[in-house]
Amino acid sequence: MDKQIQVEVQGDHLDKVSKANALNAISELVWNALDADANKVEVLVDADDMGLSAIHIKDDGHGIHYDKASTYFRGLGGSWKSTHGLSPEGRALHGKEGQGRFKSFSIGRVVEWNTRFNSKDDVFFEYKIQGVADNKKTFSLSPQAQSQVTTSGTKVSIYEPLKEFPSLTNGRLAEHLTSTFATYLSTYKNVMLYIDGERINPDSVISNTEVIELPKVFYEKKEFNYELQIIEWKISTKNQIQLCNKAGFPLLPLDKKVKGSRSVSFTAYLKSDHITELNRQGTLGLGELETSLKAPIEEAIKHIKDYLIRRKIEQSSDQLEKWKNENVYPYRNAVSGHVEVAEKQMFDFLALNINELVPEFDKSTLQLKKLQLSLLKQIVSTQPSDLHTILTEVLSLSEQKQKDFAELLKDASLSAIISTTKVITDRLKFLAGIEEIIFNPELKKALKERSQLHKIIEDNTWIFGEQFALSVSDQSLTQVLRKHLDNQGIEIVTDTPVKRLDDSVGIVDLMLTRNIARNHPTEREHLVVELKAPKVKIGQKEINQIESYAFAVADDERFNTINTNWHFWIISNELDSYAKHRLSSDKLDQGILHSANGITIWVKTWGQLINECKHRLEFIRQQLNINIDSSDGLEFLRKNYAELTESSDS
């Protein structure tokens, strides 16, 4: 008489656990076989003209010992694997939660486990476990009987399919199992997986593979390594990112696609013990909504895009060589450094795709082709933001091709390198130009008035610190300054549109005001910058002045009811002995005159400020191999602030 096993979990929870698409459900049963140290696993699909009738997963693993069957099937999460890191034969285990058996109910109404195990002294016993989808909380366990077969193993049969499941009969099953078990089969060469008699051999359908180490992740006070393996297939597969344990065995496919990647068939395996831990906690299915998983997923997608771009270039090397022989390829010499390599990769990728999508391109005259490729190189290296215009208006690509290009290039590391390089290069040019204008006597005439310098600084508040890079003009703060300064009888020009001024107009002071938004609506951070005339040394009068209105502004009724941090900067070319004495208490030599109650007053020279900025940028400058001189800086200012730097008689 059959014994009844009652699952110790609520039925509605079992319904949730049992939900899975057919391909993933089959994968779970194959994993169970492999975790049982099976060397041969067969997936058999029974289908005829009448449709799908049954599915069988047969293995030669160690089977399920009769004495342990009730324990294994009684509890969700009661798998023997939950207390083991390795199988009896030393293989890395895939599942530990005991959920795989329930997912089979997503395919058919009746599921049977016919299993055979070696009891002792090479005596083998066999028995059957059966479950019905109508009552997932109960499994029936038949009595064990001695078997005439002297090998162990299990056959799982799924009967009474809930629907046809075309994915199980149209070749999609082979593709899915190939990509899912590629890393396992590559690791354990003696393991064989068959589908309807055909052995799966991932090596025969792998076109290329690459392994990339990703940044570590800190989670619950532990550090976890991350690795990305990309396998490119010769067969057509559904491109997918698999979230895997450290050994590379998929635990869950990521519900996120790499857009723009349809031209290449690949599977990306994101591997980490961190993923195993999230799976154990039940939060892996949240994907990017799980905060600790967001960064590694973003890194993985970035590297996948880089891989696809590089593979496109590698596969089209003949075309690049043809352009070189025609003397139309704009990169005549070998490139070096991160920036040049990234620019060349982006150029090659775009040029090769344009060549494919616009048949007339390669048929052009050599002179025209050379000009077009040179223009593309110029755009990539200087104005990558213009690429969208080229793709849409000039080349008239279809909307889908535009999206593919945009998505593939978006967030790819080579695009990020170019964008970052543009920002850093512009900042270094800006510093070089400002330094020349302020300190070179012959070039001071390039900036006619401090009002013009004020306008330039207004666009570049990052020089005072990265927290000020995104600041915006604060008109309410400006009004407060005007109110206080009027009361003090101080003549000053605050934030107003700066127009060209003739040399006869005198300006006593200039002030720049900024409000830096914070994450919390009740928090504010304000930046106030006062520029002194270069000939004016910062001394007692100037320090008393900035202190007086700094404290007055901070106490204004419009700001004293919210959590506010104030930064006041006073800048000129030199400090007198009084200012130096006042700064003697600044042990860190940062130029901090006062710091208390949310108010910090800074005294700086232009030399100090420029050197501090250069120091912050130096590491990145070295990594990107950027070299800027004074002429580059002046040209940058003339180009971006022509109306402010042109001579008065121009």
Side-chain angles (χ1 to χ4, degrees):
M1 182 177 178
D2 288 355
K3 176 181 177 181
Q4 301 297 303
I5 304 174
Q6 297 298 320
V7 181
E8 297 173 348
V9 70
Q10 294 298 317
D12 58 347
H13 183 57
L14 286 179
D15 290 338
K16 294 178 182 178
V17 171
S18 301
K19 291 181 179 179
N21 67 50
L23 295 174
N24 289 337
I26 297 297
S27 296
E28 286 291 335
L29 294 173
V30 173
W31 279 121
N32 285 346
L34 296 175
D35 286 344
D37 284 325
N39 289 317
K40 182 179 181 181
V41 182
E42 299 177 82
V43 179
L44 304 169
V45 180
D46 290 347
D48 53 27
D49 294 340
M50 300 296 292
L52 180 68
S53 59
I55 298 171
H56 310 278
I57 296 88
K58 182 180 178 182
D59 70 69
D60 61 355
H62 50 59
I64 305 172
H65 198 286
Y66 192 80
D67 293 341
K68 297 179 180 179
S70 295
T71 302
Y72 292 164
F73 276 76
R74 179 179 296 119
L76 183 62
S79 170
W80 63 272
K81 293 175 275 187
S82 62
T83 57
H84 296 72
L86 299 174
S87 72
E89 291 187 10
R91 296 186 200 169
L93 295 172
H94 171 263
K96 295 185 179 182
E97 300 305 309
Q99 297 182 6
R101 60 184 178 271
F102 292 101
K103 296 187 185 300
S104 56
F105 289 121
S106 65
I107 298 177
R109 178 177 172 272
V110 178
V111 184
E112 288 184 357
W113 285 261
N114 287 278
T115 187
R116 190 168 52 251
F117 66 97
N118 185 349
S119 177
K120 58 182 179 179
D121 300 328
D122 289 330
V123 177
F124 288 82
F125 290 87
E126 61 186 23
Y127 64 96
K128 180 175 70 175
I129 303 172
Q130 186 183 76
V132 181
D134 304 341
N135 181 13
K136 302 184 186 71
K137 291 191 64 176
T138 302
F139 287 91
S140 62
L141 176 66
S142 71
Q144 64 176 339
Q146 187 170 344
S147 176
Q148 300 302 311
V149 180
T150 57
T151 57
S152 61
T154 300
K155 181 180 180 181
V156 182
S157 299
I158 305 174
Y159 299 108
E160 300 183 32
L162 303 179
K163 57 182 181 179
E164 279 304 306
F165 297 108
S167 61
L168 301 180
T169 57
N170 62 3
R172 180 76 184 94
L173 179 59
E175 295 173 3
H176 176 79
L177 295 183
T178 298
S179 62
T180 301
F181 295 96
T183 54
Y184 190 98
L185 296 175
S186 297
T187 302
Y188 303 108
K189 299 292 187 181
N190 61 319
V191 176
M192 298 174 288
L193 176 59
Y194 292 84
I195 301 177
D196 289 332
E198 292 290 329
R199 183 180 177 183
I200 287 180
N201 181 11
D203 293 341
S204 67
V205 292
I206 291 177
S207 173
N208 193 55
T209 184
E210 185 170 306
V211 177
I212 304 162
E213 184 177 346
L214 301 183
K216 293 178 172 56
V217 167
F218 290 89
Y219 180 70
E220 294 186 345
K221 299 180 180 181
K222 294 182 181 179
E223 184 180 73
F224 294 93
N225 294 323
Y226 259 90
E227 183 180 273
L228 176 69
Q229 182 179 16
I230 303 172
I231 295 182
E232 184 180 342
W233 306 104
K234 297 176 183 177
I235 59 176
S236 176
T237 64
K238 181 181 179 182
N239 293 344
Q240 207 168 42
I241 299 175
Q242 292 279 2
L243 302 176
C244 308
N245 62 17
K246 184 180 179 180
F249 307 153
L251 300 178
L252 191 72
L254 179 65
D255 188 21
K256 185 179 180 71
K257 308 302 179 187
V258 180
K259 297 179 181 178
S261 62
R262 294 180 300 172
S263 61
V264 178
S265 294
F266 71 90
T267 305
Y269 304 87
L270 189 58
K271 311 175 187 178
S272 177
D273 281 336
H274 173 234
I275 292 175
T276 304
E277 178 63 18
L278 294 179
N279 188 53
R280 186 190 67 79
Q281 295 179 6
T283 58
L284 185 61
L286 296 175
E288 288 182 291
L289 295 178
E290 163 57 46
T291 306
S292 63
L293 195 57
K294 182 177 176 62
I297 289 175
E298 290 178 348
E299 277 290 317
I301 291 175
K302 179 180 70 175
H303 284 287
I304 292 169
K305 290 181 177 181
D306 287 347
Y307 172 85
L308 297 175
I309 291 172
R310 282 187 282 106
R311 287 293 291 161
K312 174 68 176 180
I313 296 170
E314 292 170 4
Q315 294 166 357
S316 304
S317 58
D318 290 346
Q319 180 62 52
L320 295 176
E321 196 62 33
K322 175 176 178 291
W323 286 338
K324 291 177 183 178
N325 293 333
E326 292 175 342
N327 198 32
V328 299
Y329 188 68
Y331 293 90
R332 290 183 172 82
N333 302 315
V335 297
S336 61
H338 298 296
V339 181
E340 290 83 358
V341 170
E343 288 180 359
K344 183 176 179 296
Q345 284 184 347
M346 181 178 282
F347 168 85
D348 288 347
F349 175 74
L350 290 168
L352 291 168
N353 278 282
I354 290 170
N355 185 65
E356 289 181 6
L357 297 169
V358 184
E360 295 80 9
F361 179 81
D362 205 39
K363 298 177 183 178
S364 305
T365 64
L366 295 182
Q367 184 177 5
L368 179 58
K369 201 187 311 182
K370 184 175 184 178
L371 174 62
Q372 291 171 327
L373 292 176
S374 297
L375 289 174
L376 181 61
K377 176 181 181 293
Q378 181 70 11
I379 292 171
V380 169
S381 61
T382 60
Q383 296 293 336
S385 59
D386 290 343
L387 288 173
H388 179 71
T389 302
I390 298 297
L391 298 176
T392 57
E393 299 181 11
V394 179
L395 298 177
S396 301
L397 298 186
S398 67
E399 184 176 350
Q400 185 58 55
K401 286 297 182 183
Q402 294 174 33
K403 289 181 179 179
D404 287 350
F405 269 143
E407 289 293 341
L408 198 54
L409 293 175
K410 180 182 177 183
D411 300 327
S413 62
L414 60 88
S415 300
I417 288 175
I418 294 173
S419 299
T420 301
T421 302
K422 183 75 166 57
V423 172
I424 300 302
T425 301
D426 286 352
R427 289 188 175 186
L428 290 170
K429 288 180 179 179
F430 173 81
L431 291 174
I434 289 295
E435 190 172 28
E436 280 296 292
I437 286 176
I438 290 176
F439 296 110
N440 190 322
E442 296 298 321
L443 295 175
K444 284 184 179 180
K445 60 185 179 181
L447 205 64
K448 301 303 296 181
E449 291 290 345
R450 284 180 301 110
S451 60
Q452 296 157 11
L453 179 60
H454 165 276
K455 186 63 176 178
I456 296 174
I457 297 301
E458 186 179 32
D459 292 338
N460 295 276
T461 50
W462 56 266
I463 67 172
F464 306 112
E466 288 304 316
Q467 71 269 36
F468 303 123
L470 300 178
S471 59
V472 295
S473 183
D474 188 337
Q475 293 303 314
S476 62
L477 177 57
T478 300
Q479 293 302 318
V480 174
L481 289 172
R482 285 177 177 162
K483 169 187 170 182
H484 170 70
L485 297 170
D486 287 344
N487 291 338
Q488 298 295 315
I490 299 175
E491 183 185 0
I492 194 168
V493 173
T494 53
D495 278 355
T496 55
V498 179
K499 301 179 181 178
R500 175 165 289 283
L501 304 172
D502 61 48
D503 293 338
S504 64
V505 177
I507 298 178
V508 178
D509 292 310
L510 286 169
M511 188 162 288
L512 170 67
T513 60
R514 283 290 181 268
N515 172 32
I516 299 88
R518 304 298 292 270
N519 292 333
H520 197 278
T522 61
E523 295 180 1
R524 292 289 184 272
E525 190 165 7
H526 293 295
L527 167 67
V528 180
V529 180
E530 183 180 4
L531 307 179
K532 289 294 183 180
K535 64 182 180 180
V536 177
K537 289 186 177 181
I538 298 176
Q540 183 175 3
K541 176 184 175 182
E542 291 72 28
I543 288 177
N544 289 342
Q545 185 183 60
I546 194 170
E547 285 181 331
S548 69
Y549 58 70
F551 301 141
V553 168
D555 290 337
D556 185 272
E557 66 273 11
R558 278 172 280 188
F559 298 100
N560 59 17
T561 59
I562 58 178
N563 185 12
T564 305
N565 289 317
W566 295 88
H567 300 269
F568 292 87
W569 290 69
I570 182 169
I571 305 173
S572 190
N573 274 7
E574 295 183 74
L575 311 180
D576 70 8
S577 59
Y578 175 84
K580 293 176 182 177
H581 177 74
R582 285 289 306 274
L583 288 171
S584 62
S585 61
D586 179 19
K587 302 303 182 183
L588 297 178
D589 197 27
Q590 294 178 314
I592 296 178
L593 185 68
H594 170 90
S595 181
N597 301 320
I599 299 173
T600 305
I601 301 176
W602 308 72
V603 177
K604 294 283 188 179
T605 65
W606 277 110
Q608 290 174 319
L609 187 59
I610 291 172
N611 285 335
E612 288 172 2
C613 291
K614 287 181 178 179
H615 179 74
R616 292 200 303 266
L617 298 173
E618 179 60 19
F619 175 76
I620 301 178
R621 186 201 68 77
Q622 290 181 357
Q623 295 300 307
L624 297 177
N625 194 26
I626 302 172
N627 294 300
I628 302 295
D629 58 26
S630 58
S631 61
D632 296 322
L634 290 174
E635 179 60 29
F636 175 82
L637 292 181
R638 292 189 182 108
K639 179 180 178 181
N640 291 277
Y641 302 98
E643 75 282 6
L644 301 174
T645 57
E646 60 187 7
S647 61
S648 58
D649 59 351
S650 60

